[in-house]
Amino acid sequence: MSRYSWTLLFIVATSAAALLVDLPKIPLKFAYGPININTSIGGYAINLPGFIRDLKIKKGLDLSGGVQIVYKADMTGITQSDQATALDAVKAVIDRRVNFFGVSEPLVQTSHVGSESRITVELPGLSNVDEALKLIGKTAVLDFRELQGASESAQMVPTGLTGKELKSAALAFAPDTNEPEVSIVFTDTGATKFQEITKRNVGKPLAIYLDDQLVSAPNVNQEISGGQAVINGKFTVDQAKSLAIQLSAGALPVPISLISQKQVSATLGTDSVQKSIFAGLVGLLIVGIFMIGNYGKLGILADVALIIYGVISLAVYKLVPVTLTLAGVAGFLLSIGMAVDANILIFERIKEERRMGRPRILSLELGFKRAWESIRDANVCTLITCFVLFNPFNWSFLNVSGLVRGFALTLALGIAISLFTGIVVTRTLVRLFYR
């Protein structure tokens, strides 16, 4: 087989895998060691070590509705100069709690209303306000307690080890049994305390309390040094994830109190979403007809590449996962235009080479080669803009909302995939079939 045939085989395999992700109703069961793919019962999920996806399109608040909650931060006792830092810390903790549960593109914002400091939380896809309140929780105080006293009068007493000494807690899987567990890491101070506590409690339970409520009481099997440990038991994945976020929550820097809670209906509505999808399909159809009418056989190959682009893009959105808002849909449609633009640049360059009298095969190769610089420069400039809009480092001088970040993410992913389909896919198809 030639190099181009191997490339075509890779394209077909990639497209088939993406199509499998895009079509959740295809029944499939596959299990090998820690790898478990099951699309036939109830849901559609891929479970790999450290990678779990339910493979459903996640919609933002404007498309799916959700829950909006507003909290007030109590700044009593905090100096004026430290209040901004404290409010950012509260936002970071709440954001971490929400993101750990996998809520699709949550929006956590801070604001000042008069002398009050507020935190607004928007959770797309949640329909139950009580569920959202339970998810975020109130001001959390995490502490570890040990058993003291005789068997009849034994009680759990604080050890002095609190959530302030806990650096992180995460969902993990036991390497030998692949059962869910919780991995915890302490700070240097916490590691010293934890070693002393486990040393005197070997064979005894060490209870973990959150807001004076028992979360877990695992037995200490041995003295643990180094500040790293695991909490294991007969956990399900959801139970281990829930425990991990409760441990990660720790204590909020300042107390917060609930001001308002409400359920937000989808602003676009089902009818509007369907019309948007219909409009997008009509636009794609018009583009496909234009490419065939203007470039003939080359246009047919470009349309095939465009279909592959759409299949791979949808699969990537499910695997990342990307939360689709109206702005995100706009970014996706814009990237489709840029994917077609790359093909137009290539085909027009091929036409120019043919007009100069060069042979067809040479014109094809020169067309791709000489159009690449223009395609590269245009897409790199757009990717730089996407990087700034996404604001990955949370630059304070950029007031970027979640909708803008969603637009930037879908546009950037679309450009990356369009470069693959516009250069690799189209070029391979042209080399193999157009001759």
Side-chain angles (χ1 to χ4, degrees):
M1 294 178 65
S2 66
R3 178 165 60 92
Y4 302 139
S5 299
W6 281 111
T7 305
L8 179 63
L9 184 61
F10 170 75
I11 293 171
V12 172
T14 303
S15 302
L19 189 62
L20 177 63
V21 173
D22 294 341
L23 301 176
K25 294 183 179 180
I26 296 178
L28 174 68
K29 287 184 179 181
F30 176 79
Y32 182 78
I35 301 174
N36 182 16
I37 302 175
N38 189 346
T39 69
S40 59
I41 301 177
Y44 183 55
I46 288 182
N47 185 354
L48 303 174
F51 182 87
I52 300 173
R53 290 289 183 271
D54 60 4
L55 300 183
K56 295 179 181 178
I57 287 292
K58 301 184 183 301
K59 300 177 182 179
L61 200 66
D62 57 347
L63 296 182
S64 64
V67 172
Q68 184 186 70
I69 307 169
V70 181
Y71 290 99
K72 181 179 73 172
D74 184 3
M75 294 295 179
T76 305
I78 299 178
T79 61
Q80 186 69 31
S81 58
D82 293 334
Q83 288 185 4
T85 302
L87 191 62
D88 289 339
V90 174
K91 176 186 174 183
V93 171
I94 293 178
D95 198 34
R96 179 173 57 182
R97 295 180 187 181
V98 173
N99 280 307
F100 204 102
F101 263 97
V103 175
S104 56
E105 192 154 336
L107 180 61
V108 183
Q109 293 179 316
T110 59
S111 61
H112 297 277
V113 180
S115 59
E116 289 185 352
S117 298
R118 296 184 177 182
I119 302 100
T120 302
V121 184
E122 293 183 356
L123 305 175
L126 288 182
S127 58
N128 191 324
V129 177
D130 293 333
E131 180 184 354
L133 292 174
K134 181 180 178 181
L135 172 68
I136 298 174
K138 301 177 181 179
T139 302
V141 178
L142 175 72
D143 67 309
F144 294 77
R145 303 181 187 183
E146 60 187 347
L147 193 63
Q148 282 190 0
S151 57
E152 295 182 357
S153 59
Q155 58 182 348
M156 290 294 180
V157 297
T159 61
L161 182 62
T162 68
K164 295 180 180 179
E165 284 86 30
L166 185 64
K167 183 183 295 184
S168 65
L171 171 67
F173 293 90
D176 50 348
T177 63
N178 199 41
E179 291 184 352
E181 60 186 19
V182 179
S183 172
I184 57 176
V185 180
F186 292 94
T187 63
D188 293 339
T189 304
T192 303
K193 291 182 180 180
F194 188 65
Q195 182 175 356
E196 295 174 353
I197 294 169
T198 55
K199 181 178 180 179
R200 64 175 181 261
N201 285 283
V202 174
K204 300 178 182 179
L206 181 62
I208 305 170
Y209 281 78
L210 190 66
D211 288 339
D212 291 325
Q213 297 294 321
L214 180 64
V215 174
S216 179
N219 279 331
V220 179
N221 296 323
Q222 61 184 12
E223 178 185 350
I224 302 174
S225 59
Q228 296 185 6
V230 294
I231 302 173
N232 48 34
K234 298 299 181 180
F235 294 134
T236 65
V237 172
D238 290 338
Q239 288 172 338
K241 183 185 291 187
S242 177
L243 176 57
I245 187 168
Q246 286 177 302
L247 297 177
S248 294
L252 288 172
V254 296
I256 58 174
S257 57
L258 184 65
I259 295 179
S260 66
Q261 57 187 44
K262 64 178 179 179
Q263 183 176 343
V264 181
S265 60
T267 55
L268 297 181
T270 304
D271 184 58
S272 298
V273 174
Q274 291 175 348
K275 289 181 178 178
S276 299
I277 295 174
F278 177 75
L281 292 176
V282 170
L284 284 175
L285 180 62
I286 293 174
V287 169
I289 294 174
F290 167 79
M291 294 298 291
I292 295 174
N294 200 30
Y295 299 107
K297 297 177 183 178
L298 285 175
I300 295 175
L301 297 180
D303 288 347
V304 173
L306 194 61
I307 293 172
I308 294 175
Y309 164 83
V311 170
I312 295 177
S313 294
L314 182 57
V316 170
Y317 289 172
K318 289 185 174 184
L319 291 172
V320 169
V322 174
T323 298
L324 283 181
T325 61
L326 184 59
V329 173
F332 171 67
L333 294 177
L334 182 58
S335 65
I336 291 177
M338 298 192 69
V340 175
D341 178 62
N343 286 324
I344 290 176
L345 288 173
I346 293 169
F347 296 162
E348 289 297 329
R349 188 67 198 187
I350 291 174
K351 282 185 176 181
E352 290 181 9
E353 299 297 333
R354 291 288 289 158
R355 284 195 292 266
M356 293 179 185
R358 293 189 173 90
R360 176 181 298 179
I361 302 301
L362 180 60
S363 297
L364 293 176
E365 297 300 326
L366 291 176
F368 280 96
K369 181 179 179 180
R370 294 177 176 175
W372 165 245
E373 292 184 358
S374 299
I375 296 171
R376 178 199 62 198
D377 294 345
N379 284 280
V380 167
C381 290
T382 308
L383 286 174
I384 292 173
T385 304
C386 292
F387 180 81
V388 175
L389 291 177
F390 191 76
N391 191 16
F393 302 112
N394 295 315
W395 291 304
S396 57
F397 60 88
L398 289 177
N399 185 17
V400 177
S401 68
L403 295 178
V404 174
R405 295 186 70 183
F407 169 80
L409 179 60
T410 54
L411 180 57
L413 289 174
I415 290 173
I417 298 170
S418 70
L419 284 175
F420 169 74
T421 56
I423 301 299
V424 178
V425 176
T426 304
R427 191 171 192 168
T428 301
L429 294 177
V430 168
R431 280 172 168 170
L432 287 175
F433 297 113
Y434 186 64
R435 302 187 182 197

